[in-house]
Amino acid sequence: MLGACGMQRYHQEALKKNRVMLARELVLKELMEHMIEKDIITIEMVEMIQAKSGSFSQNVEFLNLLPKRGPNAFSAFCEALQETKQQHLAEMILKTESSLRHGIATLEQRYGSNLPLPLSESCNSKRPRLIVEHSLDSGDGPPIPPVKHCTPEFYRDHQHLAYKLISEPRGLALILSNIHFSSEKDLEYRSGGDVDCASLELLFKHLGYQVTVFHDQSAEEMESALERFSKLPDHQDVDSCIVALLSHGVEGGVYGTDGKLLQLQEAFRLFDNANCPNLQNKPKMFFIQACRGDETDRGVDQRDGKEWSDSPGCEESDANKEENLKLRLPTRSDMICGYACLKGTAAMRNTKRGSWYIEALTTVFAEDSRDTHVADMLVKVNRQIKQREGYAPGTEFHRCKEMSEYCSTLCRDLYLFPGYVPGK
């Protein structure tokens, strides 16, 4: 099923219909502080907005960002307008919103509750819709394949250019999986999310990791679990770690079950060289299965049309030469993070097979980790996601697309060397 992580459509329309007036009259300085306090935007986003020249350009940047900040962003914006003595703007957009909402109600009375309103992947809005549950590809998909083991010969030929990764266990892994959300929040049950969690837990165990799983955590509980995990003394005795976050999300954050955001930069900070010395110079892998916006990638036709979708449904410093000085490290290094989708877009999830990204990730890692490093495997995941296509005839999501990506500060090849035990 596809679902959206942004605000409701009539909230977006209310902002759009008043966009010119808002761009001209908004006073952002204090308002943005309120929006940070309400957990809608981050300090980094404020800096990005303030980098624009002139108040009009800054307001436009803010208005471009706002619809992608989750289902609570509209009401928080209206509250912030009132709190910063900009009631006239709040009243203007609320009047438009009321009119739009009334129009939808009238259509429902005329045509029934099967009004075909749009869905997006990771946080479906609770509103009437024609589309109930779409399996975006035909079939239930293959079972999780077993992890193929690395040979001693491959290890000997490649270990000199790679991170040391031979500890038993290989490292500690943490999975935070949110499926059920507070009924007070406009975040729906993540159908198929249980498949993602089970698939990753099994994969990480077969790769030699000690896995901990927490289900249905609030944003505060998620941050607490990440902090406790980052401070575990056992990290000193292993060679790597993995963190997987599975939830609804927006750009820069993932939702707790209480509808509040865990900022991803805060999660990464917990594992940097300053805050997690036990993992210094060791590879840290992050996998984020969550929306990063609400735009559905509808794809474009390839010009030559020759390739078709495989979807079943469709150097040292002089300073360090001085004696008695400790080697300095950058604050954040040796990390790689895979994202299910690009900034501003929705991720896709199949109600039976789980998310497109986690399915591709588990398949590629099980098959190729024996002789391929992680960055190259994530390129293979990208290739699989690029080729996949939504199958939901009669809806706006038919033939929709997704594109995963990764970012890396790794400094060596990261081979997982599954099954290899030194001396055996």
Side-chain angles (χ1 to χ4, degrees):
M1 179 180 181
L2 291 179
C5 302
M7 62 175 60
Q8 293 192 14
R9 177 56 59 91
Y10 51 83
H11 289 160
Q12 295 182 42
E13 286 297 315
L15 292 174
K16 181 179 177 181
K17 289 181 179 296
N18 295 287
R19 184 178 176 89
V20 174
M21 184 67 74
L22 289 169
R24 287 175 179 168
E25 297 195 9
L26 261 180
V27 180
L28 279 184
K29 188 173 182 181
E30 184 184 350
L31 183 138
M32 288 196 295
E33 295 301 319
H34 286 267
M35 296 295 278
I36 292 173
E37 188 177 88
K38 297 174 189 297
D39 210 18
I40 301 299
I41 63 174
T42 67
I43 294 173
E44 291 81 7
M45 292 173 184
V46 171
E47 291 172 347
M48 178 183 70
I49 292 166
Q50 291 175 337
K52 299 294 181 179
S53 60
S55 61
F56 187 87
S57 295
Q58 291 180 5
N59 290 345
V60 167
E61 186 72 17
F62 175 81
L63 292 170
N64 288 340
L65 179 65
L66 188 60
K68 304 172 184 178
R69 298 309 299 163
N72 301 324
F74 183 84
S75 60
F77 177 53
C78 292
E79 291 172 5
L81 286 170
Q82 292 167 342
E83 291 161 353
T84 57
K85 298 182 172 62
Q86 301 181 73
Q87 292 95 332
H88 66 294
L89 295 178
E91 291 168 0
M92 177 182 70
I93 60 176
L94 285 171
K95 182 178 179 180
T96 305
E97 184 262 357
S98 177
S99 176
L100 290 166
R101 188 192 293 265
H102 177 71
I104 289 174
T106 301
L107 285 171
E108 288 178 357
Q109 290 172 4
R110 184 175 302 169
Y111 299 109
S113 61
N114 288 335
L115 185 64
L117 296 179
L119 296 175
S120 55
E121 191 268 50
S122 188
C123 49
N124 308 324
S125 296
K126 296 177 179 176
R127 55 187 185 267
R129 56 200 184 272
L130 174 64
I131 309 151
V132 182
E133 285 282 351
H134 277 296
S135 181
L136 289 181
D137 301 277
S138 57
D140 292 330
I144 302 167
V147 171
K148 296 184 177 180
H149 286 185
C150 160
T151 64
E153 293 78 16
F154 183 85
Y155 174 78
R156 286 196 302 268
D157 290 344
H158 292 83
Q159 55 86 22
H160 63 292
L161 293 177
Y163 284 100
K164 173 178 172 286
L165 212 74
I166 55 174
S167 63
E168 296 186 74
R170 287 293 190 262
L172 310 182
L174 175 67
I175 301 173
L176 301 181
S177 174
N178 292 339
I179 298 176
H180 303 90
F181 295 81
S182 168
S183 59
E184 300 174 359
K185 303 299 179 181
D186 197 20
L187 298 169
E188 283 194 353
Y189 172 68
R190 295 182 62 248
S191 181
D194 53 339
V195 178
D196 288 346
C197 184
S199 298
L200 284 185
E201 183 178 7
L202 189 59
L203 174 70
F204 296 160
K205 286 180 177 178
H206 287 174
L207 288 171
Y209 285 81
Q210 180 179 309
V211 185
T212 301
V213 181
F214 289 108
H215 298 279
D216 293 338
Q217 303 274 288
S218 68
E220 185 177 352
E221 289 170 335
M222 293 173 74
E223 186 170 349
S224 176
L226 286 163
E227 185 167 11
R228 293 195 309 271
F229 180 73
S230 71
K231 296 185 182 305
L232 288 175
D234 290 351
H235 286 302
Q236 186 171 356
D237 303 319
V238 296
D239 292 338
S240 64
C241 90
I242 299 176
V243 173
L245 304 177
L246 318 174
S247 189
H248 294 309
V250 293
E251 174 53 29
V254 296
Y255 282 106
T257 55
D258 55 352
K260 295 183 178 180
L261 280 173
L262 168 72
Q263 300 296 341
L264 289 178
Q265 289 303 316
E266 177 59 24
F268 298 148
R269 184 191 66 81
L270 292 170
F271 294 87
D272 67 23
N273 294 319
N275 291 290
C276 192
N278 285 334
L279 286 172
Q280 286 181 0
N281 297 311
K282 299 177 182 180
K284 297 161 279 285
M285 291 168 272
F286 299 85
F287 301 105
I288 315 298
Q289 171 57 48
C291 284
R292 301 173 73 186
D294 63 352
E295 295 179 9
T296 302
D297 185 345
R298 310 197 191 288
V300 298
D301 291 332
Q302 183 171 301
R303 187 168 60 180
D304 59 20
K306 290 180 180 178
E307 291 186 13
W308 295 92
S309 169
D310 288 340
S311 170
C314 41
E315 168 182 335
E316 181 179 291
S317 158
D318 290 339
N320 288 332
K321 297 176 182 177
E322 193 173 331
E323 293 182 4
N324 300 322
L325 280 182
K326 290 185 178 179
L327 181 66
R328 299 283 289 176
L329 292 171
T331 302
R332 190 176 294 176
S333 66
D334 307 289
M335 292 183 177
I336 187 165
C337 182
Y339 294 95
C341 56
L342 303 179
K343 290 183 179 181
T345 66
M348 305 300 161
R349 177 166 29 87
N350 182 286
T351 57
K352 294 181 179 180
R353 298 165 57 169
S355 67
W356 293 8
Y357 182 66
I358 298 301
E359 185 180 358
L361 188 78
T362 54
T363 301
V364 170
F365 275 52
E367 177 69 27
D368 296 325
S369 59
R370 58 178 173 167
D371 59 5
T372 308
H373 59 71
V374 168
D376 276 0
M377 285 194 288
L378 290 177
V379 170
K380 290 190 176 185
V381 170
N382 287 352
R383 183 157 62 245
Q384 287 195 13
I385 297 297
K386 176 186 174 184
Q387 293 171 341
R388 195 160 178 172
E389 187 172 285
Y391 183 76
T395 78
E396 63 178 296
F397 301 108
H398 188 48
R399 302 202 68 191
C400 67
K401 302 293 288 185
E402 177 179 324
M403 191 63 235
S404 54
E405 69 172 344
Y406 72 92
C407 60
S408 173
T409 58
L410 294 180
C411 304
R412 301 179 71 86
D413 291 337
L414 175 51
Y415 290 100
L416 301 178
F417 300 126
Y420 175 75
V421 181
K424 292 187 181 181

